[in-house]
Structure formats: C-alpha cells, structure tokens
Amino acid sequence: MKGFRFSEFKPEMKGENKFEQLLNIFQQLLLITAGDVSQALAYMSDLDRQYQLTNDEYGMANFIDDLKKKGYITEENQEGELRMTPKSEQSIRKQSLDEIFGKLKRTKSSGSHHTPYTGTGDELSSDIRAFQFGDTLDQISMTESLKNAQINGGIDDFMLLESDLEVVDRESKIQTSTVLMIDVSHSMILYGEDRITPAKKVALALAELIRTKYPKDTLDILVFGNDAWQIQLKDIPYLEVGPYHTNTVAGLELAMDLLRRRKTKNKQVFMITDGKPTCLKEGINYYKNSFGLDRKIVNKTLTIAAQARRLEIPITTFMIATDPYLKQFVQQFTQVNNGRAYYSGLNGLGGFVLEDFQRNRRKNVK
C-alpha cells in the first residue's frame, strides 16, 4: 500500500481579527498612494461601501482609532496631518517579505544552485533541498527523507532510495553587498499599469530579508529617472513616479560608486526597469531621445556595463516589458556585463529577485 500524502494545512480565517484584515488592505493602499494616509483611508472607505469590509460591530471609525492607539499612524506633527509611523513602515516591510518571499514554494530543483568552489558551507540553514553528490551525512534530514520513502514506496515494501533523500542546506557566511536600482521614470505607470508598486514591494521584501537573515550583508537602494539618487529604507513606501526619462547610465554610475565604498568581495547590482535608456546628462544639460534606441545612449550604457564586468560586479536586469527590440538591447547589455536578465511579469518579479539574490551571494569572488 502507498503511504499518506501530506498537503499544506490552510486554516479557516473566520476568527481572524477584523483589525488585522483591514490593516492588510490599508498597508497595500499605503504603497499605492506613496504613503498618503488620508488618501489610503479614503480609498478604504470607498471599498467599504462597495464590498462591506466592516460591519455594525466594527466600523471604519473604530479602525482609524485603533490605528492611532496601536501606533501605526499619528497626527503629532506641525501640520496636524495623518502620517505613517516607523512602526507602520516596519510592518509594511514584514508584510512585503511574507507576501513576496514567504509564499514561494520550495522545490527539489531549488537546490541546484551550484557554486564555483568545493566544500561545505559554514552553518546549517532552515532550507531543505534534494540530496546531491558531495553532501555530508550530517546534512540529511531524516524526517523528510523517511516521509518521501513512505510516500514513494509505501509501508509494506518500505525502501529508502537516494531519490528520497533530502538535506538541510548549508549557509555560507560570505558577505555580499547589493545595490537595488528602481526605475521611477514616467513609463512605470504608463498605459494604466502600476509597475512602481510591485517594484517597491520587492525592494521592501529584499531589505527585510537581508536585515533578518543576512544581517552582515549590505543593501543600498537608489532610484533613477533623469538623474539618479540614493534613498533610505524608510523612503521606499513614499516613492512616486515622476515626469522623467530613463537615465540608466546615471543609475549604474551611482551604483558603482556605492559598491566601491564596500569592502566585501561579493558585489552585485539588481536593476528593476520597464523601458529602454532614453537620457544622458552632459554637463548641466540632458540629452533625451524617447524614440527607438538612440545609439549614443546605448553605447554609453554598454560601456558602463563592461566596466562593471571588469570589476566582477554582475548586473541582473529585471525587465518588466516584452517588446522584442527591448529584449535585443537587454540581451546585448547582459552579454557585455556577463550578468543575467529576466523578462518578468509583475506577479513573478519577487521570485526571480529572491532566486538570483541567493544564487549570487553563494559565489566566492577571489
């Protein structure tokens, strides 16, 4: 007889606290409204009228009072406006981490991220993956392996095979410095599609992942439009798209400057964008061309990609677009840098970022 098959337990949410339900919606709206509390609450009131989010026992006024009492919003400022608090900003980061990275399913193929060096890592992690040649006996997870053998072979004819084995992965203590570049040009909200909110969620989730799991790593975040400038973690929820072109060169130059200050050997750049480079800064003037791929702008972009390659800094491009001519440019850019590129939809963006972040930080740059 075959063994039992186990599936994820999903409890019913009937008893979930009404405040927590509304808080989840409120925090999503805060990212969409760039941290505008009043506008987010106005949207919630509209949603409440349409979908009955609240009831007679707990209304929107109760929810707003609880937000103040629990320290998520405050009116204690010179203007007397409702604003987010540091507690609210931290809560949004944790929510983004759970939403984007926490729900990614682990598969047996997730263990196939090979490293360019031999030997074991420094300490065991909480990740489970399929057994590979070279894994040590102390890494084998007996509970998971025996469960697989029971499922695959049954109880009556029980046999533990190599294909049943799963191991607890080892986590290298190599420190990594990452720069995350976010495109804030006008095209990120063009054609009625909100691309900046998913980008903000990914940035918040990646920051929280590094803070909690890799505290010795560094993450610098910058945004680029006509120019590029560094932002702090607390600034991410308030990001808005501007009437900008896309100065990819300025973003990459700033990213390289930030990484030069880091003493770690492993360095990488993640770039989230949806368009082609359309702008350069020449002195105090801007050279702009939104029509097609301007050769002058493209050549400058490829030059800095080559510079990053010589410094062994891979650039991973997450292109939220599928135009054939843009793909051709990204492929050329990636080849020059020896990096990677993904043509991702908004829903799959977080998974790609997590996968590449974990792959890159396992590399041992000499």
Side-chain angles (χ1 to χ4, degrees):
M1 89 181 238
K2 291 288 185 180
F4 298 101
R5 289 197 174 274
F6 299 89
S7 60
E8 182 183 2
F9 173 64
K10 296 182 179 179
E12 295 184 6
M13 305 304 291
K14 292 180 180 178
E16 185 179 355
N17 185 280
K18 177 61 70 173
F19 173 79
E20 295 297 330
Q21 293 178 347
L22 296 176
L23 179 63
N24 178 61
I25 299 172
F26 176 64
Q27 290 178 332
Q28 299 280 358
L29 291 173
L30 281 175
L31 285 179
I32 294 173
T33 61
D36 189 324
V37 174
S38 298
Q39 189 177 357
L41 290 174
Y43 285 160
M44 281 200 71
S45 296
D46 291 339
L47 291 172
D48 185 31
R49 285 191 293 270
Q50 187 173 358
Y51 298 104
Q52 291 77 50
L53 301 179
T54 62
N55 51 42
D56 294 338
E57 297 179 358
Y58 193 88
M60 281 299 299
N62 300 116
F63 174 63
I64 295 173
D65 286 340
D66 283 345
L67 285 174
K68 295 177 181 178
K69 292 176 183 178
K70 296 177 183 292
Y72 287 97
I73 61 175
T74 180
E75 292 178 301
E76 296 180 3
N77 51 74
Q78 291 182 348
E79 294 79 11
E81 299 175 348
L82 287 173
R83 293 182 180 174
M84 295 169 56
T85 64
K87 178 179 180 179
S88 186
E89 294 168 358
Q90 182 182 29
S91 180
I92 291 176
R93 291 200 304 271
K94 290 182 178 179
Q95 182 192 50
S96 298
L97 177 62
D98 180 65
E99 178 183 344
I100 293 179
F101 295 160
K103 297 180 182 179
L104 292 177
K105 295 181 179 179
R106 295 192 183 109
T107 62
K108 292 183 184 293
S109 63
S110 65
S112 62
H113 299 163
H114 302 290
T115 60
Y117 59 97
T118 58
T120 59
D122 295 306
E123 59 184 22
L124 296 177
S125 72
S126 59
D127 295 333
I128 303 294
R129 61 169 174 81
F131 176 84
Q132 295 176 350
F133 179 77
D135 290 330
T136 59
L137 293 178
D138 63 304
Q139 285 181 257
I140 294 176
S141 172
M142 293 307 299
T143 300
E144 296 295 327
S145 301
L146 292 174
K147 184 180 76 173
N148 291 339
Q150 180 202 5
I151 292 174
N152 297 330
I155 299 176
D156 296 335
D157 190 23
F158 181 84
M159 182 176 296
L160 183 65
L161 303 176
E162 181 180 337
S163 58
D164 299 321
L165 296 178
E166 293 197 5
V167 299
V168 180
D169 209 358
R170 290 188 180 274
E171 184 58 59
S172 174
K173 289 184 178 178
I174 296 173
Q175 296 180 27
T176 302
S177 294
T178 304
V179 172
L180 179 63
M181 298 172 50
I182 302 176
D183 186 350
V184 292
S185 62
H186 180 64
S187 60
M188 291 291 278
I189 56 169
L190 206 57
Y191 310 119
E193 185 174 39
D194 179 8
R195 296 165 176 172
I196 188 64
T197 298
K200 289 195 290 187
K201 284 186 179 180
V202 169
L204 289 167
L206 184 60
E208 190 66 12
L209 176 72
I210 291 175
R211 285 162 60 94
T212 55
K213 190 172 182 180
Y214 308 111
K216 293 185 179 180
D217 283 10
T218 64
L219 174 66
D220 292 296
I221 303 168
L222 65 89
V223 295
F224 62 104
N226 290 349
D227 297 287
W229 60 97
Q230 187 178 9
I231 63 171
Q232 302 300 315
L233 179 58
K234 63 181 179 62
D235 300 325
I236 298 176
Y238 307 97
L239 277 181
E240 293 183 273
V241 169
Y244 307 126
H245 286 68
T246 307
N247 191 344
T248 307
V249 169
L252 291 172
E253 287 178 340
L254 178 55
M256 302 287 284
D257 287 340
L258 292 171
L259 289 175
R260 286 191 188 97
R261 304 172 194 173
R262 301 299 183 183
K263 304 302 181 183
T264 54
K265 293 182 179 179
N266 275 18
K267 299 177 181 182
Q268 59 186 351
V269 175
F270 288 167
M271 178 169 61
I272 301 175
T273 181
D274 74 328
K276 58 186 178 293
T278 60
C279 177
L280 288 175
K281 191 170 185 180
E282 299 178 324
I284 60 174
N285 298 316
Y286 294 94
Y287 176 83
K288 304 174 183 177
N289 184 2
S290 300
F291 301 98
L293 287 170
D294 187 293
R295 180 48 49 188
K296 179 177 180 179
I297 299 175
V298 168
N299 287 343
K300 184 67 175 179
T301 307
L302 295 178
T303 297
I304 196 168
Q307 292 174 358
R309 178 175 182 171
R310 289 193 292 271
L311 294 173
E312 297 184 302
I313 299 175
I315 301 170
T316 304
T317 305
F318 301 93
M319 177 65 73
I320 314 173
T322 57
D323 305 67
Y325 79 101
L326 284 181
K327 283 187 176 182
Q328 186 177 4
F329 161 71
V330 173
Q331 288 171 356
Q332 185 180 10
F333 177 86
T334 303
Q335 184 178 10
V336 169
N337 174 255
N338 196 27
R340 272 181 293 274
Y342 296 95
Y343 309 96
S344 170
L346 297 177
N347 292 333
L349 181 61
F352 286 130
V353 172
L354 174 63
E355 180 182 355
D356 235 47
F357 173 75
Q358 291 183 329
R359 177 193 290 124
N360 287 353
R361 79 177 310 279
R362 292 173 187 271
K363 289 185 177 181
N364 187 19
V365 180
K366 300 298 184 181

